[in-house]
Amino acid sequence: MLTAAAVIGVGHFISQRQDYETSIERSYQAEMAARVQIAQGDDSKAARRTIAAEEARRAELRDSISDDTRNTAILVGIGLIAGLIGALLLFAGLITAMRRPLEALVDAAGRLAAGDRSTRVEVGGLSETATLGKAFNDMAAELELEASERDQLDRMKDEFVLTASHELRSPLTSVQGFAELLMMERDSLTQRQVETVEIILDNCRHLVRLLNDLLDLARSDAGRLAIRPRPTRLGPLIEDVVRTLRAQTEASEQTLTEKIDANLPLVEVEPDRIRQILVNLVTNAHEYSPKRASIEVTARVTDAEVEIDVIDDGPGIPPAQMEHIFERFVRGDAGLTQRVGGTGLGLAISKSLVELHGGTISVDSEVGRGSTFKVLLPVAPPGAVEAPPSGPRAIAEGPR
Amino acid sequence: MTTVLVADDSETILLLMRTRLELAGYEVETAADGQEVTERVDPDSTDGPDLLLLDAMMPRKSGIDALRELRAAGLETPALIVSAHQDPSDADAPTDLEISGYVTKPIDFDLLLGAVAELTAKAA
């Protein structure tokens, strides 16, 4: 408003200035006419009075105009300051109006990034922030849709693997069963036929292992890999695994020994699953190590955990491979895997299983020196007693 | 002679089971689904089969449903459930039914024949 007053003031000042110049000009013209009259010899008193009067009038006009100029300058100054303050207030208002929606947007973006795909912002305020808010909501909606589609695909994948590994079991039962029947009559088979049937049986066993591993992984992914832990003595379990696998290691002239602390406490685990993990670790040590290597399984108590180490003096694992060793379908050097019979899933499953028991699994290895796989399992609560398995017994195939 | 009733919807599996069980000295009857099992087994008869070996999943009537009906009618014959599931806790394993054991596919016949011998010896 004051700015408007300043503008009006400046306009007023300009028109006054024009009046002033016209008046001065007229005054000079009047004085000039009087002087001409005098120069022509008409030295009348009236002419001299006119000159004096015009001089006085001009002085008065000059005084008045300089007052006007000062007033106008003050007015303009005030107007400018007021304008500046007005602009500042306007900016402050704009910033406040934008800040709240922007803060909400930053907040929502943080939640979205943290995985809350249902995050939305309230659309409103200035048209710019409203547009931004709407764009954000559209983006979040799209992400939410994609995430739910991905979840659904994941579920379908898990379902598929479960069904497939289930459906494959019946034909596999027939192939293996009839091959075993043939082997029961091995006396009437030629050497070549016996070898052929042995190959069929070998591959059946491999297929069963793959199916079991895939099933475990699919269950783990679907959150359906359940364990039924009960207080368990690890010593006999480790001895049993070592005894079962000794035939294989002896065939490679490897030594397989165990060293178990005498006062090992009970651990809260599902024995079959721990057996599965140990069989996997010892089999890996056996298959990846050369002839005459030595493999040792140790168990001791550390604080609230029992530590099981599977130690070999084999070729070791290069650091680049060690990073990925617990990922699925990651296997040791191709040169070695030629004679390695695993599925590439064993360590991934072992990791899932150990973690399901509330434990950890890790590896320490040096190329040329060997590898140590370390499993930590929580000790059973004090007062726990070794419990027999519950529920109907499963008549399943041997150790997985 | 000890008789085992085997039910499976796959003829190949039935042939395999029959062969292995007959080789082990059992008399074998077969059924293609649970419906046939409930029609053939009389819960009140004493000269029915000595053991039931039922596939958990079959069309028309599953082995589980057939066994549930027979148990409700008072049958006490031991029964083994054959399941393609690796783990009895997975899907088709009811806890309210008296089942002597689960056989998972692929079948380990040494273990199966051992269990059959044990269960039929008890029955005899």
Side-chain angles (χ1 to χ4, degrees):
Chain A
M1 209 140 74
L2 278 165
T3 314
V7 170
I8 292 166
V10 170
H12 179 62
F13 172 74
I14 289 167
S15 86
Q16 263 184 344
R17 188 89 205 175
Q18 278 166 350
D19 289 351
Y20 160 79
E21 307 230 318
T22 320
S23 305
I24 293 278
E25 204 184 324
R26 280 207 198 109
S27 163
Y28 273 120
Q29 276 167 358
E31 190 182 328
M32 221 37 156
R35 282 187 190 279
V36 167
Q37 228 180 328
I38 292 166
Q40 282 168 351
D42 181 8
D43 187 11
S44 73
K45 269 189 184 163
R48 287 189 191 281
R49 255 202 319 273
T50 304
I51 290 168
E54 288 306 327
E55 271 173 355
R57 202 164 92 84
R58 284 204 303 279
E60 202 180 296
L61 277 170
R62 272 188 209 106
D63 278 355
S64 144
I65 200 74
S66 86
D67 274 359
D68 271 356
T69 306
R70 197 178 60 241
N71 289 343
T72 307
I74 289 167
L75 195 65
V76 166
I78 291 171
L80 280 176
I81 290 166
L84 207 61
I85 291 170
L88 279 175
L89 287 173
L90 189 68
F91 272 128
L94 271 173
I95 287 168
T96 314
M98 286 178 73
R99 207 168 76 184
R100 202 164 320 129
L102 281 178
E103 275 172 358
L105 211 55
V106 169
D107 250 24
R111 282 198 304 273
L112 189 68
D116 178 8
R117 306 255 192 264
S118 62
T119 294
R120 297 291 183 275
V121 291
E122 210 175 298
V123 176
L126 300 169
S127 75
E128 285 78 5
T129 52
T131 311
L132 204 55
K134 195 179 167 309
F136 176 87
N137 285 349
D138 289 349
M139 178 184 75
E142 201 154 307
L143 279 174
E144 191 178 19
L145 189 69
E146 275 174 22
S148 83
E149 276 170 2
R150 204 174 48 234
D151 286 353
Q152 200 187 344
L153 273 176
D154 266 357
R155 268 197 302 279
M156 280 166 68
K157 182 205 75 185
D158 293 340
E159 244 359 272
F160 172 76
V161 175
L162 289 175
T163 313
S165 89
H166 182 263
E167 290 302 318
L168 286 170
R169 271 163 207 279
S170 286
L172 189 57
T173 302
S174 299
V175 175
Q176 184 171 315
F178 283 103
E180 281 169 1
L181 266 180
L182 266 180
M183 277 311 249
M184 289 171 77
E185 294 166 45
R186 66 184 302 157
D187 291 347
S188 54
L189 297 180
T190 65
Q191 182 56 30
R192 193 140 171 211
Q193 285 167 332
V194 169
E195 281 167 16
T196 309
V197 180
E198 271 169 356
I199 290 171
I200 296 174
L201 284 172
D202 257 2
N203 280 281
C204 280
R205 280 188 282 269
H206 187 67
L207 214 48
V208 172
R209 219 153 42 159
L210 255 175
L211 282 180
N212 288 345
D213 284 359
L214 276 175
L215 192 62
D216 277 350
L217 273 184
R219 279 215 204 94
S220 164
D221 287 350
R224 276 160 60 179
L225 187 61
I227 52 164
R228 282 154 301 194
R230 56 174 198 265
T232 304
R233 284 172 63 208
L234 273 180
L237 209 155
I238 294 173
E239 282 163 6
D240 186 47
V241 169
V242 165
R243 204 167 29 244
T244 312
L245 295 177
R246 188 161 277 139
Q248 288 175 42
T249 55
E250 274 174 359
S252 303
E253 297 167 50
Q254 296 168 335
T255 56
L256 175 60
T257 52
E258 81 255 13
K259 197 170 82 191
I260 300 158
D261 264 8
N263 53 353
L264 214 55
L266 292 175
V267 285
E268 186 86 9
V269 296
E270 180 175 333
D272 279 350
R273 291 306 199 174
I274 298 305
R275 180 192 310 273
Q276 183 182 356
I277 296 163
L278 291 176
V279 165
N280 175 247
L281 293 179
V282 176
T283 305
N284 280 349
H286 156 65
E287 289 184 336
Y288 283 95
S289 297
K291 275 193 168 184
R292 284 181 288 281
S294 67
I295 302 163
E296 189 180 29
V297 185
T298 66
R300 60 203 168 91
V301 62
T302 60
D303 298 329
E305 285 166 323
V306 169
E307 177 180 333
I308 308 170
D309 289 341
V310 177
I311 309 156
D312 70 63
D313 59 357
I317 306 156
Q321 273 182 24
M322 215 139 75
E323 277 177 55
H324 304 287
I325 198 146
F326 291 106
E327 293 166 19
R328 49 194 74 171
F329 293 115
V330 170
R331 307 168 71 166
D333 247 325
L336 277 169
T337 50
Q338 300 309 318
R339 57 187 182 80
V340 171
T343 59
L345 295 169
L347 284 178
I349 293 166
S350 293
K351 186 173 195 292
S352 297
L353 286 174
V354 170
E355 285 170 0
L356 217 52
H357 281 90
T360 55
I361 184 169
S362 59
V363 60
D364 189 24
S365 181
E366 200 180 320
V367 174
R369 300 289 291 272
S371 310
T372 298
F373 282 83
K374 188 204 295 187
V375 176
L376 291 173
L377 293 170
V379 167
V385 283
E386 195 182 4
S390 55
R393 71 180 164 151
I395 300 161
E397 75 264 14
R400 285 188 274 230
Chain B
M1 191 145 184
T2 310
T3 310
V4 180
L5 173 62
V6 186
D8 201 299
D9 55 317
S10 154
E11 279 181 35
T12 322
I13 300 275
L14 281 182
L15 177 62
L16 180 64
M17 296 268 215
R18 174 193 284 280
T19 313
R20 286 304 295 259
L21 286 166
E22 282 179 354
L23 277 172
Y26 299 98
E27 193 167 312
V28 178
E29 290 175 21
T30 58
D33 56 42
Q35 186 68 40
E36 246 187 89
V37 174
T38 48
E39 282 163 12
R40 290 251 291 277
V41 177
D42 177 3
D44 302 322
S45 159
T46 46
D47 54 329
D50 301 290
L51 177 74
L52 304 180
L53 192 52
L54 309 174
D55 191 51
M57 290 213 295
M58 289 184 285
R60 284 217 296 173
K61 192 179 284 178
S62 76
I64 305 269
D65 289 343
L67 185 62
R68 182 169 284 129
E69 270 180 44
L70 290 171
R71 287 273 186 261
L75 184 82
E76 286 172 2
T77 310
L80 289 171
I81 294 290
V82 183
S83 163
H85 283 288
Q86 184 196 17
D87 191 330
S89 68
D90 242 11
D92 32 283
T95 48
D96 60 326
L97 214 51
E98 202 187 305
I99 294 169
S100 311
Y102 285 93
V103 184
T104 58
K105 285 179 181 173
I107 297 162
D108 183 327
F109 277 98
D110 290 339
L111 286 175
L112 174 63
L113 291 171
V116 170
E118 197 184 311
L119 289 168
T120 50
K122 244 185 263 170

Coordinates of all heavy atoms in Angstrom, one line a residue, chain B residues 77-114:
Chain B
T77 N -6.5 -102.9 12.9 CA -5.3 -103.4 12.1 C -4.3 -102.3 11.9 O -4.6 -101.1 11.7 CB -5.8 -103.7 10.6 OG1 -6.9 -104.6 10.8 CG2 -4.7 -104.4 9.8
P78 N -3.0 -102.6 12.2 CA -1.9 -101.6 12.0 C -1.9 -101.1 10.6 O -2.2 -101.8 9.6 CB -0.6 -102.3 12.3 CG -0.9 -103.8 12.3 CD -2.4 -103.9 12.5
A79 N -1.5 -99.8 10.4 CA -1.5 -99.2 9.1 C -0.3 -98.3 8.9 O 0.1 -97.6 9.8 CB -2.8 -98.3 8.9
L80 N 0.3 -98.4 7.7 CA 1.4 -97.5 7.4 C 0.9 -96.6 6.3 O 0.2 -97.0 5.4 CB 2.6 -98.3 6.8 CG 3.4 -99.1 7.9 CD1 4.4 -100.0 7.1 CD2 4.1 -98.2 8.9
I81 N 1.3 -95.3 6.4 CA 0.8 -94.3 5.3 C 2.1 -94.0 4.5 O 3.1 -93.7 5.0 CB 0.3 -93.0 6.0 CG1 -1.0 -93.3 6.7 CG2 0.1 -92.0 4.9 CD1 -2.2 -93.6 5.9
V82 N 1.9 -94.2 3.2 CA 2.9 -93.9 2.2 C 2.7 -92.4 1.7 O 1.6 -92.1 1.3 CB 2.9 -94.8 1.0 CG1 4.1 -94.5 0.1 CG2 3.0 -96.3 1.5
S83 N 3.7 -91.6 1.9 CA 3.5 -90.2 1.5 C 4.7 -89.7 0.6 O 5.8 -90.1 0.8 CB 3.4 -89.3 2.8 OG 3.7 -88.0 2.4
A84 N 4.3 -88.9 -0.4 CA 5.4 -88.4 -1.2 C 6.1 -87.2 -0.5 O 7.1 -86.8 -0.9 CB 4.8 -87.9 -2.5
H85 N 5.4 -86.8 0.6 CA 6.1 -85.7 1.3 C 7.2 -86.3 2.1 O 7.2 -87.3 2.7 CB 5.1 -85.1 2.3 CG 4.1 -84.1 1.6 ND1 4.6 -82.9 1.1 CD2 2.8 -84.3 1.2 CE1 3.5 -82.3 0.5 NE2 2.5 -83.1 0.6
Q86 N 8.3 -85.5 2.1 CA 9.5 -85.9 2.7 C 9.4 -85.9 4.2 O 10.0 -86.7 4.9 CB 10.6 -84.9 2.3 CG 12.0 -85.3 2.8 CD 12.9 -84.1 2.7 OE1 12.4 -82.9 2.5 NE2 14.2 -84.3 2.7
D87 N 8.5 -85.1 4.7 CA 8.3 -84.8 6.1 C 6.9 -85.0 6.5 O 6.0 -84.4 6.0 CB 8.8 -83.4 6.4 CG 8.9 -83.1 7.9 OD1 8.2 -83.8 8.7 OD2 9.7 -82.3 8.2
P88 N 6.6 -86.0 7.4 CA 5.2 -86.2 7.8 C 4.5 -85.0 8.3 O 3.3 -84.9 8.2 CB 5.3 -87.2 9.0 CG 6.7 -87.7 9.0 CD 7.6 -86.8 8.2
S89 N 5.2 -84.0 8.8 CA 4.6 -82.8 9.3 C 4.1 -81.9 8.2 O 3.5 -80.9 8.4 CB 5.5 -82.0 10.2 OG 6.6 -81.5 9.5
D90 N 4.5 -82.2 6.9 CA 4.3 -81.3 5.8 C 2.8 -81.0 5.5 O 2.4 -79.9 5.7 CB 5.0 -81.8 4.6 CG 6.0 -80.9 4.1 OD1 6.3 -79.9 4.9 OD2 6.5 -81.0 3.0
A91 N 2.1 -82.1 5.0 CA 0.8 -81.8 4.6 C -0.2 -82.8 5.0 O -1.2 -82.6 5.8 CB 0.8 -81.7 3.1
D92 N 0.0 -84.1 4.6 CA -1.0 -85.1 4.8 C -0.8 -85.9 6.0 O -0.9 -87.1 5.9 CB -1.2 -85.9 3.5 CG 0.1 -86.1 2.8 OD1 0.6 -85.1 2.1 OD2 0.8 -87.1 2.9
A93 N -0.5 -85.3 7.1 CA -0.2 -86.1 8.3 C -1.1 -85.7 9.4 O -0.8 -84.8 10.2 CB 1.2 -86.0 8.7
P94 N -2.3 -86.4 9.5 CA -3.2 -86.0 10.6 C -2.6 -86.6 11.9 O -1.9 -87.6 12.0 CB -4.5 -86.7 10.3 CG -4.0 -87.9 9.4 CD -2.8 -87.5 8.7
T95 N -2.9 -85.9 13.0 CA -2.3 -86.3 14.3 C -3.4 -87.1 15.1 O -3.1 -87.7 16.1 CB -1.8 -85.1 15.1 OG1 -2.8 -84.1 15.1 CG2 -0.5 -84.6 14.5
D96 N -4.6 -87.0 14.6 CA -5.7 -87.6 15.4 C -5.9 -89.1 15.0 O -6.9 -89.7 15.5 CB -7.0 -86.8 15.1 CG -7.4 -86.9 13.7 OD1 -6.5 -86.9 12.8 OD2 -8.6 -86.9 13.4
L97 N -5.1 -89.6 14.2 CA -5.4 -90.9 13.6 C -4.3 -91.9 14.1 O -3.1 -91.5 14.2 CB -5.3 -90.8 12.1 CG -6.2 -91.7 11.3 CD1 -7.6 -91.6 11.8 CD2 -6.1 -91.3 9.8
E98 N -4.7 -93.1 14.4 CA -3.7 -94.1 14.9 C -3.0 -94.7 13.7 O -3.5 -95.5 12.9 CB -4.3 -95.2 15.7 CG -3.2 -95.8 16.6 CD -3.8 -97.0 17.3 OE1 -4.8 -96.9 18.0 OE2 -3.1 -98.1 17.1
I99 N -1.7 -94.2 13.5 CA -0.9 -94.6 12.4 C 0.4 -95.2 12.9 O 1.0 -94.6 13.8 CB -0.6 -93.4 11.4 CG1 -1.9 -92.9 10.8 CG2 0.4 -93.7 10.3 CD1 -1.8 -91.6 10.1
S100 N 0.8 -96.3 12.4 CA 2.0 -97.0 12.9 C 3.2 -96.4 12.4 O 4.3 -96.5 13.0 CB 1.9 -98.5 12.5 OG 0.7 -99.0 12.9
G101 N 3.2 -95.7 11.2 CA 4.4 -95.1 10.7 C 4.1 -94.5 9.3 O 3.1 -94.7 8.7
Y102 N 5.1 -93.6 9.0 CA 5.0 -93.0 7.6 C 6.1 -93.6 6.8 O 7.2 -93.7 7.2 CB 5.2 -91.5 7.7 CG 4.0 -90.8 8.3 CD1 3.8 -90.6 9.6 CD2 3.0 -90.4 7.4 CE1 2.7 -90.0 10.1 CE2 1.8 -89.8 7.9 CZ 1.7 -89.6 9.2 OH 0.6 -89.0 9.7
V103 N 5.8 -93.8 5.5 CA 6.8 -94.3 4.6 C 6.9 -93.2 3.6 O 5.9 -92.7 3.0 CB 6.3 -95.6 3.9 CG1 7.4 -96.1 2.9 CG2 6.0 -96.6 4.9
T104 N 8.1 -92.7 3.4 CA 8.3 -91.6 2.4 C 8.8 -92.1 1.1 O 9.5 -93.1 1.1 CB 9.2 -90.5 3.0 OG1 10.5 -91.0 3.2 CG2 8.7 -89.8 4.2
K105 N 8.4 -91.4 0.0 CA 8.9 -91.8 -1.3 C 10.2 -91.0 -1.6 O 10.2 -89.8 -1.2 CB 7.8 -91.4 -2.3 CG 6.7 -92.4 -2.3 CD 5.7 -92.0 -3.4 CE 4.5 -92.9 -3.4 NZ 3.4 -92.5 -4.3
P106 N 11.2 -91.5 -2.3 CA 11.2 -92.8 -2.7 C 11.4 -93.8 -1.6 O 12.0 -93.5 -0.6 CB 12.5 -92.8 -3.6 CG 13.2 -91.6 -3.2 CD 12.3 -90.7 -2.6
I107 N 10.8 -95.0 -1.7 CA 10.7 -95.9 -0.6 C 12.0 -96.7 -0.4 O 12.6 -97.2 -1.3 CB 9.6 -97.0 -0.9 CG1 8.2 -96.2 -1.0 CG2 9.5 -98.0 0.2 CD1 7.1 -97.0 -1.6
D108 N 12.5 -96.7 0.9 CA 13.6 -97.5 1.3 C 13.0 -98.8 1.7 O 12.5 -99.0 2.7 CB 14.3 -96.8 2.4 CG 15.6 -97.6 2.8 OD1 15.6 -98.9 2.7 OD2 16.6 -97.0 3.3
F109 N 13.1 -99.8 0.8 CA 12.5 -101.1 1.0 C 13.0 -101.9 2.2 O 12.3 -102.7 2.8 CB 12.4 -102.0 -0.3 CG 11.3 -101.6 -1.2 CD1 11.5 -100.7 -2.2 CD2 10.0 -102.0 -0.9 CE1 10.5 -100.3 -3.1 CE2 9.0 -101.6 -1.7 CZ 9.2 -100.8 -2.8
D110 N 14.3 -101.7 2.5 CA 14.9 -102.4 3.6 C 14.2 -101.9 4.9 O 13.7 -102.7 5.7 CB 16.4 -102.1 3.8 CG 17.2 -102.8 2.6 OD1 16.6 -103.8 2.1 OD2 18.3 -102.4 2.3
L111 N 14.0 -100.6 5.0 CA 13.3 -100.1 6.2 C 11.8 -100.4 6.2 O 11.3 -100.8 7.2 CB 13.4 -98.5 6.2 CG 14.8 -97.9 6.6 CD1 14.8 -96.4 6.4 CD2 15.1 -98.3 8.0
L112 N 11.2 -100.4 5.0 CA 9.8 -100.7 4.9 C 9.5 -102.2 5.3 O 8.6 -102.5 6.1 CB 9.3 -100.5 3.5 CG 7.8 -100.9 3.2 CD1 6.9 -100.1 4.1 CD2 7.4 -100.8 1.8
L113 N 10.3 -103.1 4.7 CA 10.1 -104.5 5.0 C 10.4 -104.8 6.5 O 9.7 -105.6 7.1 CB 11.0 -105.4 4.1 CG 10.6 -105.3 2.6 CD1 11.6 -106.0 1.7 CD2 9.2 -106.0 2.4
G114 N 11.3 -104.1 7.1 CA 11.6 -104.2 8.5 C 10.4 -103.8 9.3 O 10.0 -104.6 10.2

